[in-house]
């Protein structure tokens, strides 16, 4: 079980703001300083200005979201319970590969796709076709 107090949180609707935000590590440092993306707004000290959502989770529960949605997890202060998560990325057939500078999440092995190419690579397996 994951109580709401330690569950990942989402800024509802932020995927529609028309901005791509620079990923941050848990210590608030940028993953890639020179990536040209917008810095994450100061949310923690302005929580009342945002529609922040999270849930009590039970084993087997799933949260699916648009990856442009601002999200992050609060500190797990429990000394008795570890927080564990599994993350996967799912894309549609309209997605294209975008070369990025610096570290990616997840870190991929060497990819030979060109910028803008269809995501046809063994690292991006097709799991369903209409």
């Amino acid at each position: 079980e994951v109580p709401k107090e330690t569950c990942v949180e989402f800024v509802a609707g932020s995927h529609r703001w028309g901005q791509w935000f620079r990923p941050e590590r848990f210590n608030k440092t940028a993953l890639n300083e020179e990536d040209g993306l917008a810095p994450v707004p100061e949310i923690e000290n302005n929580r009342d200005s945002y529609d922040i959502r999270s849930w009590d989770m039970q084993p087997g529960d799933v949260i699916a979201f648009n990856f442009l949605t601002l999200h992050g997890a609060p500190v797990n202060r429990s000394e008795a319970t570890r927080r564990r998560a599994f993350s996967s990325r799912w894309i549609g057939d309209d997605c294209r590969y975008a070369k990025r500078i610096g570290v990616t999440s997840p870190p991929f092995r060497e990819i030979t796709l060109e910028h803008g190419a269809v995501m046809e690579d063994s690292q991006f397996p097709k799991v369903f076709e209409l």
Side-chain angles (χ1 to χ4, degrees), residues 18-65:
Q19 282 193 295
W20 287 43
F21 294 99
R22 179 176 299 120
E24 293 181 344
R25 296 177 180 91
F26 287 110
N27 66 4
K28 300 294 184 192
T29 61
L31 192 59
N32 298 304
E33 281 292 335
E34 304 300 324
D35 58 14
L37 301 176
V40 173
E42 176 48 61
I43 294 170
E44 191 57 36
N45 293 324
N46 299 295
R47 291 178 69 86
D48 292 341
S49 299
Y50 299 95
D51 181 4
I52 299 174
R53 300 184 188 181
S54 64
W55 304 268
D56 289 318
M57 303 291 292
Q58 299 299 315
D61 285 350
V62 173
I63 299 173
F65 62 98

Side-chain angles (χ1 to χ4, degrees), residues 56-110:
D56 289 318
M57 303 291 292
Q58 299 299 315
D61 285 350
V62 173
I63 299 173
F65 62 98
N66 182 309
F67 209 64
L68 292 178
T69 305
L70 284 172
H71 62 282
V75 173
N76 179 10
R77 300 195 186 282
S78 172
E79 294 183 18
T81 306
R82 292 178 65 178
R83 178 175 49 206
R84 296 176 191 253
F86 169 79
S87 175
S88 65
R89 274 80 166 162
W90 294 73
I91 59 175
D93 58 6
D94 59 338
C95 288
R96 300 294 180 260
Y97 181 70
K99 286 196 177 201
R100 303 271 189 237
I101 62 166
V103 179
T104 62
S105 175
F108 294 108
R109 324 184 289 272
E110 184 174 325

